[in-house]
């Protein structure tokens, strides 16, 4: 069944749902994210937001390919931070990445300054280039707690 929404309408909705992060250049998705932190663009596309961004700005994604976040930020939709690769290449890149090495300590920071806190192990913040004893302390020091 054809969508009742035009490509132009989808683009407007997409562009209104991310915000630039000035320190990293990431475009942070401000709407729903899945449990792994990937933005979900449900405006009649059913796609992950970074995949929609890649297709919008760069081109189609072949069936056997996936998108890697060069910035290691799963909620980033900046097409300059996305690269096409095979699933095998993506798996190797993820395991070698700083975010892959600290996946259990991962925090999802959204543009509305909320975050999900998991575990209380030491965490290294790549953006701030600092290590904190826990995600709670990182959130406090960086002003990322809701209400700050």
């Amino acid at each position: 069944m054809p969508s009742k929404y035009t490509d132009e309408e989808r683009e407007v909705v997409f562009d209104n749902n991310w915000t630039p992060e000035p320190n990293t250049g990431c475009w942070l998705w401000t709407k729903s994210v899945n449990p792994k932190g990937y933005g979900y663009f449900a405006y009649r596309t059913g796609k992950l937001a970074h995949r929609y961004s890649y297709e919008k700005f760069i081109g189609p994604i072949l069936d056997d390919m996936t998108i890697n976040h060069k910035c290691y930020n799963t909620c980033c939709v900046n097409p300059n931070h996305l690269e096409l690769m095979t699933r095998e290449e993506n798996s190797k890149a993820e395991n070698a990445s700083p975010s892959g090495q600290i996946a259990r300590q991962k925090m999802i920071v959204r543009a509305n300054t909320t975050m999900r806190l998991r575990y209380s192990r030491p965490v290294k913040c790549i953006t701030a280039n600092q290590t904190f004893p826990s995600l709670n302390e990182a959130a406090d020091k960086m002003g990322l707690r809701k209400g700050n």
Side-chain angles (χ1 to χ4, degrees), residues 115-129:
M115 66 186 303
R116 296 176 188 165
L117 300 176
R118 297 181 184 159
Y119 306 97
S120 57
R121 299 180 186 166
V123 61
K124 178 165 175 88
C125 176
I126 298 165
T127 305
N129 197 24

Side-chain angles (χ1 to χ4, degrees), residues 9 18 26 42 56 60 64 101 108 116 123 129 131 138:
E9 289 172 319
W18 61 265
C26 288
K56 174 184 174 185
D64 59 340
Q101 294 169 7
I108 302 165
R116 296 176 188 165
V123 61
N129 197 24
T131 300

Side-chain angles (χ1 to χ4, degrees), residues 71-84:
C71 59
Y72 307 120
N73 185 348
T74 55
C75 68
C76 178
V77 296
N78 182 340
N80 295 321
H81 292 191
L82 306 174
E83 63 183 339
L84 193 64

